[in-house]
Amino acid sequence: MSDSLGDRSQPSAGDGSPKQPFSCPACDRTVGHANLLTANFSFEGVTPTEPGPDGSPQFRDTGLEDGPQKAIELRCDFCGEEFTLGVEKNE
């Protein structure tokens, strides 16, 4: 079981790269990237509102059956907006 933003066998729409940027919903600045093949995330320009023990961003279970099963709460370093990034698990 791993976290993913889409079908792992197909690259995302856009430039065809499995590494896709995501933006703050308020200011639309790119604040991270998601690798759709490995389900790895990189963050730049955001701070987790509830970091893990080592201070790094940490996804939590949402308890939802319909919708994202894991999510992370982030604060944009550019505009201060707090938002949730949710991901669905492929099993």
Side-chain angles (χ1 to χ4, degrees), residues 37-66:
L37 296 178
T38 64
N40 289 328
F41 291 82
S42 62
F43 301 96
E44 62 258 359
V46 289
T47 303
T49 59
E50 296 180 21
D54 64 355
S56 66
Q58 184 173 20
F59 285 88
R60 61 174 170 72
D61 290 325
T62 64
L64 300 174
E65 290 185 29
D66 294 327

Side-chain angles (χ1 to χ4, degrees), residues 7 9 14 17 19-20 32 47 53 55 66 72 86:
D7 182 348
S9 63
S17 170
K19 186 176 177 184
Q20 295 296 309
T47 303
D66 294 327
I72 187 168

Side-chain angles (χ1 to χ4, degrees), residues 1-87:
M1 178 182 349
S2 64
D3 297 333
S4 176
L5 290 178
D7 182 348
R8 301 179 120 215
S9 63
Q10 297 294 321
S12 172
D15 66 4
S17 170
K19 186 176 177 184
Q20 295 296 309
F22 57 89
S23 302
C24 170
C27 70
D28 206 34
R29 293 191 66 170
T30 298
V31 293
H33 291 83
N35 186 314
L36 302 178
L37 296 178
T38 64
N40 289 328
F41 291 82
S42 62
F43 301 96
E44 62 258 359
V46 289
T47 303
T49 59
E50 296 180 21
D54 64 355
S56 66
Q58 184 173 20
F59 285 88
R60 61 174 170 72
D61 290 325
T62 64
L64 300 174
E65 290 185 29
D66 294 327
Q69 289 88 28
K70 291 204 173 250
I72 187 168
E73 302 291 329
L74 301 168
R75 181 183 313 104
C76 179
D77 293 343
F78 302 106
C79 71
E81 181 73 19
E82 291 186 7
F83 63 97
T84 301
L85 175 66
V87 295

